[in-house]
Amino acid sequence: LILTQGEKGSIITSGSQSYSIPAVQPVRILDFTGAGDAYVAGFVSAYTKGYDLQSCGYLGSANASFALEHLGGQEHLPSWRDLLSRIGRQFPEIVQSMNTNNQEEL
C-alpha cells in the first residue's frame, strides 16, 4: 500500500513493514499537475529494477519533484542519475544504501 501525502511525503506499507518517506524537494514549484503520476512512475520503475520498497519510495518522490517544476503533465523525464543526484543532495545516506549501478533512464 502506498499513501502519498503531498509535501508530507508518503507512507509505504507491505505486510509488517512500513516506511515513512519524506518529500524530495524540487528546486521550485510551478504546478502540481502530474506529480502523483510521476511518483508512481518512479516507484514502479525502481521496483521493476529490483530496488527495495524504501528506495522505490525515494525514487518516486524524486521523480515527482521534477514534475512539480514544470507546467502541466510531466514534460521532463529526468535520467536515473538526475533522480539519484536529487535524492543525494537531501538524503545522502539513502543514495549510499541503494544499488546505484543501474543508471538507466526511467
Side-chain angles (χ1 to χ4, degrees):
L1 173 68
I2 302 169
L3 174 64
T4 58
Q5 302 177 305
E7 66 186 29
K8 294 180 182 176
S10 63
I11 298 172
I12 301 166
T13 302
S14 177
S16 63
Q17 296 178 325
S18 185
Y19 304 96
S20 180
I21 309 295
V24 175
Q25 298 302 310
V27 173
R28 66 189 179 290
I29 297 175
L30 292 180
D31 190 2
F32 294 99
T33 304
D37 291 340
Y39 179 98
V40 171
F43 184 97
V44 171
S45 293
Y47 188 78
T48 62
K49 294 177 188 309
Y51 284 84
D52 61 81
L53 292 177
Q54 182 181 28
S55 296
C56 291
Y58 277 94
L59 287 157
S61 183
N63 201 41
S65 76
F66 282 98
L68 293 168
E69 296 175 350
H70 295 86
L71 293 175
Q74 187 169 350
E75 297 294 324
H76 175 74
L77 295 175
S79 69
W80 205 252
R81 184 167 284 143
D82 290 338
L83 296 174
L84 293 171
S85 176
R86 180 156 292 179
I87 296 167
R89 282 193 297 262
Q90 295 170 48
F91 309 102
E93 69 284 356
I94 296 299
V95 172
Q96 290 174 358
S97 71
M98 290 182 186
N99 172 10
T100 57
N101 294 329
N102 196 346
Q103 301 287 318
E104 299 174 20
E105 301 290 320
L106 270 176

